[in-house]
Amino acid sequence: DVTHAIMSYCTGYMIYDSIVGYVVETWQPGVGPVLTTDHWMFLVHHVLTSLYMISARFVGAGHMSAMILMFLGEFTAPIMNIHLILEKAMEQPEFRDSSWIPLAFVYNEQIFAFFYCIFRIFFGPLAATHLTWDLILTERGRGNVPVWLSLAWMPMCWGVLLGSIPWIQTCLETLQRGPVLSGKDEL
């Protein structure tokens, strides 16, 4: 079934994203991964998302809500992956004299910050409000998904959104100091 395949793929993606976020980005030789508060929030986000998707598959309902939240939450992931590639490229000796990589990095960062803010400030809360209404306050929603599970999902859903506030603030600062909003021509 396509729905289960997509849910499995997305759960696998969350595991992959966690490994890249922890093993690759925070690894210190002889110590292992060194996690900051941001990293722990990132980990909790991935655990909650995975629990939401696994429980939706288990009860056979809630797939659409999981997919909507996954789409809205991970829309910017490809942009962030390009950011990581550009960041790693700038650290390589072969690319230190390159002028286009730092320029691409700055504009990629701006694009990411813009879309992250749009999705986390507007679309995410709109979807979460709709899901809260539908799953808890409508007869159809309560019939499709057990109330106990909806009551477990909503703190997960809203917790991920509220947990992204520090990153929203960082993205807003990134936009303000970037070439478009700062009015600076030089990068």
Side-chain angles (χ1 to χ4, degrees), residues 80-92:
M80 182 50 76
N81 287 336
I82 292 169
H83 182 82
L84 177 64
I85 291 167
L86 291 169
E87 182 179 62
K88 296 300 178 193
M90 289 190 302
E91 296 171 1
Q92 302 306 310

Side-chain angles (χ1 to χ4, degrees), residues 135-177:
L135 292 175
I136 295 175
L137 300 175
T138 68
E139 189 175 324
R140 183 179 60 93
R142 290 189 307 272
N144 290 337
V145 177
V147 173
W148 68 267
L149 186 56
S150 293
L151 292 173
W153 283 353
M154 289 308 104
M156 291 180 195
C157 174
W158 285 101
V160 166
L161 287 171
L162 294 173
S164 68
I165 290 173
W167 291 309
I168 291 170
Q169 292 169 328
T170 299
C171 286
L172 290 171
E173 291 166 5
T174 298
L175 288 169
Q176 289 172 342
R177 73 171 184 271

